Amino acid sequence: MMKYGDEHAEHRFTLSFAERESRGQWLDIFLDIHKEADEMFPEDLVDPSVLVICNSQGDIVQIVLHDEGCDCEFQFTYAEKAQIEKFVQEHVNV
């Protein structure tokens, strides 16, 4: 997780399913993030979570990092997005 424009920084975390919501042709999947032992998230990131937006076929269209339930100035790295995609494919019935 890193602020837009900052240097690349990988963070270790686990995920858990929170909820899902259908919006017409879109399916929103909300995930909770749990930092691993001894991991420090960026100090400006207060309460991170994940919004995964899928199309009607179940394909992931976008992965958004939320802070306190809202879009924020942070983004996931490619490796972190891959971890989230894998979690959704294995643990969420899309």
Side-chain angles (χ1 to χ4, degrees), residues 24-81:
Q25 67 179 352
W26 307 112
L27 173 64
D28 294 344
I29 299 169
F30 298 91
L31 306 174
D32 292 325
I33 298 177
H34 314 280
K35 57 185 165 187
E36 291 199 2
D38 301 325
E39 180 67 39
M40 297 296 295
F41 287 165
E43 67 179 50
D44 294 348
L45 198 56
V46 178
D47 184 23
S49 61
V50 184
L51 166 61
V52 180
I53 303 170
C54 299
N55 63 19
S56 58
Q57 291 78 38
D59 300 321
I60 295 175
V61 176
Q62 189 172 9
I63 298 174
V64 181
L65 176 57
H66 278 180
D67 190 22
E68 298 180 312
C70 300
D71 290 355
C72 65
E73 59 188 333
F74 288 88
Q75 63 183 346
F76 289 109
T77 65
Y78 290 113
E80 291 166 344
K81 283 184 179 181

